[in-house]
Structure formats: structure tokens, C-alpha cells
Amino acid sequence: MKYIKWFEDLRIEDVPLVGGKNASLGEMINALTSKGILIPSGFATTADAYWLHLRENNLEDLIKNDLLKVDKKNVETLKEIGARIRKVIIDAPFPKKLSDEIVEAYKEIKERYKNSTFAVRSSATAEDLPEASFAGQQETFLNIRDEKNLLIACKKALASLFTDRAISYRIDHGFDHMKVALSVGVQQMVRSDKASSGVIFTLDTETGFKNVVLINSSYGIGESVVAGLVNPDEFYVHKETLKKGFRPMLKKHMGAKKTKIIYSDDNEKPTKTVDVSEQEQKQFSLNDDEILKLAKQALMIEEYYSEKKDQWTPMDVEWAKDGIDGKLYIVQARPETVHSRKKETVLEEYILQEKGEVIIKGKAIGRKISSGIARVIETARDMHQLKEGEILVTDMTDPDWEPIMKHAAGIVTNRGGRTCHAAIVSREIGIPAIVGTSNATSLIKTGEEVTIDCSNGEGGFIYKGQMKFEVKKTVLKEIPKISTKIMMNVANPDEAFGFALLPNDGVGLARLEFIINNSVYVHPMALVHPERVEDKDVLAKIEDLTFGYEDKKEFFIDKLAQETGTIAAAFYPKPVIVRFSDFKSNEYKKLLGGEFFEPEESNPMIGFRGASRYYHEKYEEAFALECLAMKKIREEMGLDNVKLMIPFVRTVEEAKTVIQEMAKYGLKQGENGLSVIMMCELPSNVILIEEFSKVFDGFSIGSNDLTQTTLAIDRDSDLVAPLFDERNAAVKKMMEMAIKGANKCSRPIGICGQAPSDYPEIAKFLIDCGIDSISLNPDTVLKTILALAS
């Protein structure tokens, strides 16, 4: 056949013939099916078929002349001309030799895949630029079941080369409309309407961090995820330890998944959107084995394309699970187009200088801040109302919105996840967006001044009013090297991938209590002994949080392992020192169910905290869960860069007892390279540093508590707060003694307290004393390195 190519006969070099999408499918079918990746097959019409249809119907000059009248700034004109061109392409009869070949190929594939329906996809190409695939600019038609509707869909696909967004895209990127052709791909459909589907990126879409796979998933056909119709489930998997055979499931976020797209019996409307049951909404749309299998397949695709291009090539992959055979399929893959093109020579940091009233929260896209006048637009029909520099607020966007999105200073949507249309476009044009807010269009009013803040990890905030912010730019190659190791204090897993891009030697402090407070929410003893929780409302909240877990203790272990493991994965293989929980009793009490397990203390700062909890009957069962989570990170996830740290150790005997408790739950010091570090934050730690050196593998100075315990100042007391100063001579003497004692015993010693982040002179003093490492708050890393180097 002259105008048809089977996917099996295509290679990536055939982009000029069948476009990037179809050429990529052919390449993968030939190279990767032998490795166990399932890819539905089909056929493609060629670029010659497109030109044949135009020329036999004398459409070239008509289209060319119409396009000369396009003013991309005038949305109405663009819409009118685009509609006219599409209509003439659809109304023109297919050349008989082309329609005959399409029908012949369809009969053959129908025979090959009995009882299947088919997707008709558009794959654009530019003859003068083989890389151009114009992802997302053209139309796709699903659940095609007969010859008549196939031919209609093929013609509509050809016409979609002239959607408003495609015309606008080509103008913006300098492509000659008349040198771009369109290939139609006809591909067997996977029955994801009876299961789930979604998108995979082989990097973190917000920071460009290379060592994770991000999977978005929801029920039904994948269009709901791509178009942003739902807030999908979100999964992160660590690449390096996945390659080594571990199960590095990092963060798992459950999306709302309120609707799904399924097949319908109506040929005019072959798909329909239906509600998802509450039971299904509360469950993940993939299990762990499926998540890891998809991650492995995405990694194989990335490695194949990277090898072929001789450079790292992150991928954007669409996948689907068949609800009949239960198998996972890859239905499309193309190179990621935002971070892969960046040359990271300048680090940009957006810093909010004031905070106002939070209107609403959502998922942050990008790491920028923007402010302006809000413009709430309900439908694409009214998108022309958006003015340059306004904040677009809408339910969701689809490709029809693209001509005006580039004029916005930021985008806010009710629906969508990190891989939805609004997220992808905002990254490409370099503006911040906050998606999946649920009801931004109700809470934000047109004409209202707002600020979009995407600078603090995954959570995005929309503030009332225009907040002041600054942009700091640092040329990374100008950052000097210094001999002292510079580590970071990282509390929030959501920000770990971004922090890992800063110059660093690892993490000097990751606090478990922060993760428990912000991700687990429940007091661990309430999961061990729910029978002691006497409040029915609290029990109901715990039940809701832990839905799907028969053993509620597993919820704590999983959540703590996933969130802490995210920090470990971000910095792998550099060391990450994780400190066991160091809440005070009054802080533990604030957790769900905490009031039923915590004592009343008059001075919690020097009370039931740190090491003394871990072997005490009131908390030892909870400490067991912390240990099991850390064991999971090191052994199941393979993140053996995690070192463990014990806080507030009062005596040498207590130190030995805690080491024994850890061993009970599989955390044996020295086994599989496990190091155990002690927080050096009490006078007893400094005075007996040589004795503690016989128990621990190293030390980290906690300057906050060392100041408190040296000067006998309660950090919670406002009355004596003015006397609290880490630069006090007695505190400095304590730090100097600790460093010299550790050096004498050949034990590494660092500092993870606040002092060097706040006072560069303290950092210099510690280096002069011979400290091995300084762990800083991320926002002070660059300025401290520059200060120390000078």
C-alpha cells in the first residue's frame, strides 16, 4: 500500500513520513516488545496521504491564503479562520485510493485484534525539523468501531492540523504552515475504561530532578488525566534503587478521581463521563506491583531513547491498564520538552517577602511566584476576555485555551494534576500555575488582586492581594568549592527534589516529627491501641485517614517510610541523617488521639522527650513503628544512604539501651553499613564525649538545645528569651570541647542546629575548631558557602 505504513514497519527516522507520535510507536514496537513492554499495534497514514487529500481537492491555495489573514492576537479572527479551514478539509471527499487503503488496513487489523475498538490519533510532522511532533496540538478520537466512523475520524484528524491552538503554536515557533503535514495513527484500544490509565514522566515535572519516575493514574480512559478532568493519584519511584532490584515506592498521593471516561454505545458520542463510586475514590487506582512495573517500563523506554540520542532523554509516556486481561500497556511515548531543553547554569530562587490571607491551596506547578488581577473564565467561549498579565482562573483548560494562555501571568484551575494540560502548558511557557484547587472559581472573584506562590514545594498557595517577592539568581558555576562539608537541614519531603539541586554534601538533619505532623497526623500509639481512644469523632477521623489498611500500624510505617524515603532518594547516594522523633509531650498531644497517651508536664522542654521515650512503656511500641519504617527505607527501598540519629540522650547507659531497642526491630548498628549518630546537645554529652564515642558512630551538635541546657533557658519561655544566644561564650566553649573530643576519638562531628544558618561567624568559628560538616537551612546554603569561601 502506498499511503499506509504498519507500525511494525516504522522507525524513529520516519518522523518526516508519519510524524513523531507514530514514528515513536513503531520504534518502540520494534525495539522494546522483546523486552516485555506491551504496545498496542496499528497503522499510520503517511504525509503523502495528507498532501494527496489537499491537492486532489484543490485546497492548498485556499488554506494558504486564509492563513495569511491570521492575526494571532485576535482570537476571534483566529477562531473563524481555523473553523473555515477545518470545514473544507472535512467536507472534501477522500481520494478513493486513500480511502480504499484505509479500509483495507482496517479490515486487516480488525481481523488481527478481534472484538477490539480503535483510537484514531493525529501525528504532525515538519519536513524541515524532524524533532517537531507538536504534542497535544491535534485531536484524538476514541472507541471507533466501524469503517464509516473510521473514515470520518481520519478526516477530522487531518483537519485538526488547523485547530486554533495548532495554528497559534506554529506561528509562535516559526513553522511554515504549508511545510507541516499530518499523519493519522489507527491503534488498537486497551480496555482502560474497565480499569485505569494515565501518564508517566521520567523526571520530577516541577524541578527537573532526574532520579525519579512520576506516575499519574486515574480510573477509565486516559483522556481524563491528560485533559485535567480529574485530580489523579500520584506516585513517585526512585530510579537508582529500582535498577538494583529494590521496591523504592516513594510518595503516594491519593487523588479525588471523582469521574471517569468509559465507552458508550453511541457512535456519534463513542465515550461518556460517569461518576466514580466513593469506595473507589478512597482507593488507589494502581497497586504497588503495578506502579513498580510501570516505572521499570518507563525507565527502559528512557534508557533506550537516551542511548539512541547519545544524551539523557527524559520521557513523557502514556499508559493504560486493560480491565479484561489485567495487563499494562504503553500506548504512546515522546521526549519531555521542558526540563530536557534547559541549561541549568543559573539558579533562580523566588522568595515571598510577606504573607497575607490564603484564599485557597492546590498543587504547585513550577517554582515561581506571580501576582496580578484575577480573571475568572468559566468556558473557552469567553477566553478572549483575558487581558495581558492577568491571572487566569478557570475550572480546567484543554488545548483550545492555548492561544490565550501565554498572555496570563499565572493559571489557577479547579481540576487537574501535575500532568494535566494546564500544568504542561504553564511549564512550557514559564509561568506558575496552581491546579486541583477544587473550587477556585467560587472563591476568587474577577478583578481581585491575587498572588500565586509556587515557591515552597508541591503545595501552592493563592493569597489575597499582591504580595512582595524577590527573585535571587545565582550562577552555579561560580559557586566556589570549600573543604568543609556543607549539608542541609531538610524537613519537608515536598521540597527535597528542588533542594537536592543546590551544592551540597547530603542531609545533616531530616526530622521525623515534622513528617509525622504534616503527613501522618495520627499519634502512633492511637494506631497501636485504638481501644484507648475514647473520642468517637477522633476514631472516625483516624479510620478515614487509614482507609484500606486492616492493620492501622502499617499506615504509619508506610507513610513515614514513603515521605522520609523521598528525602533519602533526593540526595542518594549522599548521606541522609534521619533523626528519630523529638516531639515534646505537649506537641505529641496535638496529634490525632494524642491526648489519650501523653502525660501532663510542667516543663516538656526538659521532660519526656528524645531517647528516654524510645524504651519507655508509654512509647516503646510507637518507637517500634519508627524503627520498622526506617528498616523499610534501607532494606525494601534500598536507600542505604540513611543514617539514624538519636536526640536528647542523657546518659551513656540510656544510649546503650536505645541501641538495643533498635536492634530488636532489625536496625543493627554496623549491619548493612548502618551508622548511628548522636545529637550532641546536653552538657553530659560534651563532658562524656569519649564515653559516648564508644557507643555511637558520630555526632551532630544541636546548638538550640545545647544553648538551652548550657544556659538553663527554657526555649518556650518569653520571659528569658532575650538571654538565648548561641554565640554566648559558654555555648561556644561547649561546642569547641565537643569537636575536640570527637576528633580525639576519631569520630566525625557536624552541626545541624540553627546557629550557623543564622550567624556566619559561628560557621567560621566551628570550621576553625575543626568541625567536619555544617548542616544549614536550604535558604542559607549559597550565602554561607560564599561567606566561608571569602
Side-chain angles (χ1 to χ4, degrees), residues 16-88:
L17 184 67
V18 292
K21 197 180 292 182
N22 290 333
S24 182
L25 278 168
E27 183 74 28
M28 288 194 299
I29 286 170
N30 280 284
L32 299 174
T33 48
S34 60
K35 296 184 178 182
I37 295 180
L38 301 176
I39 303 160
S41 192
F43 63 87
T45 65
T46 64
D48 288 340
Y50 168 80
W51 294 118
L52 176 74
H53 181 62
L54 262 57
R55 285 163 187 162
E56 286 216 357
N57 289 289
N58 298 312
L59 299 179
E60 277 185 288
D61 287 342
L62 185 153
I63 292 169
K64 191 174 184 178
N65 292 332
D66 250 355
L67 289 169
L68 291 173
K69 303 169 192 170
V70 170
D71 175 4
K72 67 173 186 174
K73 291 180 182 176
N74 188 327
V75 176
E76 292 302 315
T77 305
L78 175 63
K79 191 181 291 186
E80 184 184 314
I81 291 171
R84 187 160 62 236
I85 294 173
R86 293 193 298 275
K87 187 175 187 304
V88 296

Side-chain angles (χ1 to χ4, degrees), residues 651-757:
T651 68
V652 175
E653 290 70 28
E654 185 170 68
K656 292 175 181 176
T657 303
V658 173
I659 295 286
Q660 288 167 5
E661 282 293 306
M662 291 171 61
K664 275 189 202 175
Y665 308 108
L667 294 175
K668 294 181 181 176
Q669 190 176 18
E671 198 171 276
N672 192 24
L674 176 60
S675 295
V676 184
I677 313 295
M678 185 189 83
M679 286 286 286
C680 184
E681 53 194 344
L682 305 174
S684 61
N685 301 156
V686 177
I687 294 164
L688 296 178
I689 192 88
E690 292 184 33
E691 293 302 312
F692 282 109
S693 291
K694 295 172 185 174
V695 182
F696 292 103
D697 301 301
F699 303 97
S700 184
I701 296 170
S703 57
N704 291 352
D705 273 318
L706 188 58
T707 303
Q708 171 177 249
T709 53
T710 299
L711 300 179
I713 292 173
D714 181 354
R715 285 196 283 139
D716 281 347
S717 171
D718 293 336
L719 297 172
V720 291
L723 294 171
F724 187 94
D725 191 343
E726 296 101 318
R727 294 167 296 180
N728 180 280
V731 180
K732 288 174 71 176
K733 186 66 176 175
M734 280 286 184
M735 291 193 281
E736 183 181 9
M737 288 167 62
I739 293 166
K740 287 182 177 175
N743 288 345
K744 180 182 175 183
C745 298
S746 301
R747 289 286 183 264
I749 185 166
I751 184 168
C752 61
Q754 188 68 26
S757 293

